[in-house]
Amino acid sequence: MRGEGRGTRDDGEKQGALPHSDSALPSSLAPRPSPLLSSLTIVVPTLNEAPGIVSFLQALQPLRERGVELILVDGGSRDGTVAAASPLADRVLSSPRGRALQMNAGAALAGGDVLLFLHADARLPGDAERLILDGLRETGGGWGRFDVRLSGCAPMLRIVEWMMNRRSRLTGIATGDQGLFVDHGLFDEVGGFPAIALMEDVALSATLKRHGRPLCLAQRVVASSRRWEKHGIWGTIALMWRLRLAYFLGAEPARLAEIYYGRGQ
């Protein structure tokens, strides 16, 4: 377990408070050496997620009971997300808006040997921490992701998720929907997520590939299909491919974010 930034669940920590230093801890509570990659921190960026945040966090409580640290980083919600989430997370932090900035802020205070970045509308496999930690230890890898399943029932969504998973295996690029996880030390070494408005997951994956191929777990994260259902499956496919191609051709992420979020996603 990493020593820095690890908080206890009952220490009365206030939102955004800095962690205690190791030297200030009683000897009985001081972090002890543990095997490499033995602990996990989940970092969740949020913005106005109040309608679903409680059920999302309740599903993660069994992992917390097994020692997984849960950090939520809010980007300025005005709908009660922070108040609803606070009893169900180890830390609830505030950050400037933007997934990359929020996830980097959470990672800076995380105590886990491995970081898992998770969207607030996703559902993990029940044994996610074992799959991640055992998988990285056994393969010697530094990062990876899950396969994804979209939550809707439309048959076309099965094709979409198959394409997403297949493409990721071929290219070594992971997206946020797939629950990207990375060795904390490696994340720090590469500088975390680039501070861009969109495609931060793709950009980080491209950087991490230089240190090795991702561990592609066949177990699935269930991701919300709301954007596919709201805007139509074919229209969303076309949009995502257009944005991805534009990014690789050098388009400004800020402009791509305007297009993406302009559709209300």
Side-chain angles (χ1 to χ4, degrees):
M1 181 184 297
R2 294 170 63 93
E4 299 91 5
R6 184 67 172 178
T8 59
R9 295 186 184 121
D10 58 353
D11 60 5
E13 224 172 36
K14 301 299 183 182
Q15 179 179 333
L18 291 175
H20 297 294
S21 67
D22 290 346
S23 60
L25 290 171
S27 59
S28 60
L29 299 179
R32 289 178 168 81
S34 58
L36 184 65
L37 302 185
S38 64
S39 58
L40 177 70
T41 296
I42 300 174
V43 178
V44 182
T46 58
L47 181 66
N48 296 326
E49 296 283 356
I53 196 65
V54 171
S55 61
F56 165 76
L57 292 173
Q58 285 176 337
L60 296 175
Q61 297 311 296
L63 279 76
R64 290 184 71 207
E65 293 168 4
R66 297 196 296 268
V68 174
E69 183 183 34
L70 177 56
I71 297 178
L72 184 146
V73 189
D74 191 73
S77 295
R78 299 182 178 180
D79 65 347
T81 295
V82 170
S86 293
L88 297 170
D90 295 297
R91 292 168 178 259
V92 177
L93 311 174
S94 294
S95 163
R97 178 176 176 176
R99 273 184 177 164
L101 298 177
Q102 290 169 239
M103 292 187 290
N104 284 342
L109 292 180
D113 300 316
V114 177
L115 307 172
L116 167 60
F117 299 99
L118 188 66
H119 290 179
D121 56 4
R123 295 293 183 272
L124 287 172
D127 57 348
E129 83 283 17
R130 179 187 64 81
L131 294 168
I132 292 170
L133 296 174
D134 288 355
L136 291 178
R137 281 196 298 260
E138 291 169 4
T139 62
W143 70 291
R145 67 11 162 229
F146 290 92
D147 274 359
V148 67
R149 178 180 176 86
L150 298 172
S151 61
C153 298
M156 187 60 192
L157 291 175
R158 307 289 78 83
I159 298 174
V160 171
E161 65 198 26
W162 181 87
M163 291 172 60
M164 292 169 66
N165 296 328
R166 182 62 176 166
R167 180 191 67 222
S168 178
R169 277 185 165 77
L170 291 172
T171 64
I173 296 294
T175 67
D177 286 334
Q178 293 172 303
L180 191 153
F181 51 86
V182 57
D183 177 291
H184 199 157
L186 176 58
F187 182 83
D188 291 343
E189 180 182 340
V190 302
F193 288 97
I196 54 180
L198 197 69
M199 301 289 179
E200 74 287 336
D201 47 3
V202 173
L204 178 62
S205 294
T207 299
L208 292 172
K209 278 179 61 178
R210 300 171 194 156
H211 297 263
R213 297 279 298 181
L215 169 64
C216 296
L217 294 173
Q219 293 83 0
R220 297 191 172 198
V221 167
V222 179
S224 172
S225 59
R226 59 187 176 184
R227 71 169 179 254
W228 306 88
E229 294 162 346
K230 181 176 181 178
H231 299 294
I233 293 174
W234 287 109
T236 303
I237 290 173
L239 173 67
M240 299 309 294
W241 277 104
R242 172 189 170 197
L243 294 175
R244 190 176 294 252
L245 177 61
Y247 173 75
F248 281 112
L249 291 177
E252 283 292 328
R255 174 56 184 153
L256 300 181
E258 291 175 3
I259 297 171
Y260 181 76
Y261 291 112
R263 289 168 57 94
Q265 301 182 62

